[in-house]
Amino acid sequence: LESQARSCSSLADSRSTPETRAPWTSPHSSTMSIPLLYTPQQQKGYDGYSAPCRTGNWSEDEYMRALQVQEILKKQATGTLTSSVRFNTVGVSSLPIDLTAPHADGFVRFGDTVLLSSALGGVVSANAQRPIEGTAQKVFQVTRTREPEATRRTSWSILPIGEPPADGLLRYDTPFLLVAESAGDQPLFLHGERYTLTNQAASISVRGADRKHLAAGALSSSHLTGWVVRSLQPHAEARLLDPKQPVEANTFVALEHTYTKSHLNTDGAHLRNEFGLEFSVSVYTEIPVAKGELFGRAAAVVGTGNHFAFTTGLPLDEEDGSASA
């Protein structure tokens, strides 16, 4: 009897050791094992159970794959796949586009499709996927890209306000419109608006009480979408000769907003949107602190953030009419 009792006692001790304790032991035990989401067969390397087996949940993997395929096919048919939705929004706006080839005289004309290249790098782009709240009308974000790429959202068409001139040339001090015709479902007009407490116009890296006005893309033209080209010549005498002179392509100029009388501006403030990390664009005139001449600023030059150029496409080959390398 004593030997039989000792064997029973040793058997009980062996069952209570943590190494042999079953996973379904009492939850109050300090050595309770955490149940896994995989079956023992999958833990040994097998990826699932065979379909002919119908015991318990052995065919669960097979059924889950079938349901996932059905869901993907349904979303594909309705166009609600994540890849399809992203391509229809961000992808379409990033498609390449052909720019207007440079003219023989080197001047910009109404109807040309160009890039607004910045002296700081990159080009001005319209983001039809991100509206701006707190404005009088519905407007969308305008930013500066990191790379100068000719895409649907970075191309701008130059349109006249009223009747265009007979020769079609864009001249200094002549109001015009800048339209991103392919940025979204509707054309976006480059729009400027005075800063308010609600339109999210930023005050970044400016001095005193200066503020940067809002630059955005509007769905319709108005008195807030007019622009004129100003020269970068520092002397007033040279500026008097600029009116009615044609604007040269691929040359830096300043774009003045007709309503706020400030210039299109960009700086190094980062903005993160659907297209990645880009830079802010506003309406603000950068003027050096030092006066350009005694008792005045008539000879002062606007800052680098106000320098933009109408960048055209590649020149056409005269023989076949295609763009040359």
Side-chain angles (χ1 to χ4, degrees), residues 99-103 106-108 113-117 247-253 308-315:
L99 302 176
T100 302
H103 301 281
F107 296 133
V108 180
T113 301
V114 297
L115 300 178
L116 292 181
S117 300
V247 179
E248 295 183 353
N250 306 308
T251 303
F252 286 114
V253 294
F308 293 91
F310 296 108
T311 303
T312 58
L314 297 175

Side-chain angles (χ1 to χ4, degrees), residues 165-177:
D167 54 7
L169 292 175
L170 175 65
R171 289 179 165 83
Y172 289 91
D173 295 342
T174 300
F176 65 97
L177 302 173

Side-chain angles (χ1 to χ4, degrees), residues 198-265:
T198 59
N199 64 8
Q200 303 179 17
S203 173
I204 305 174
S205 66
V206 296
R207 61 185 182 277
D210 293 336
R211 294 294 183 271
K212 295 186 177 181
H213 302 301
L214 175 68
L219 296 175
S220 60
S221 61
S222 65
H223 65 287
L224 300 176
T225 57
W227 301 86
V228 295
V229 180
R230 299 297 187 191
S231 174
L232 298 180
Q233 296 293 333
H235 301 291
E237 293 79 3
R239 293 183 180 181
L240 292 176
L241 301 177
D242 287 336
K244 306 308 179 183
Q245 294 295 322
V247 179
E248 295 183 353
N250 306 308
T251 303
F252 286 114
V253 294
L255 301 179
E256 182 182 290
H257 190 229
T258 57
Y259 181 74
T260 61
K261 301 302 179 182
S262 297
H263 296 75
L264 186 67
N265 176 263

Side-chain angles (χ1 to χ4, degrees), residues 179 182 209 262 274 280 290 318:
V179 187
S182 305
S262 297
E274 293 78 5
S280 66
E318 296 181 358

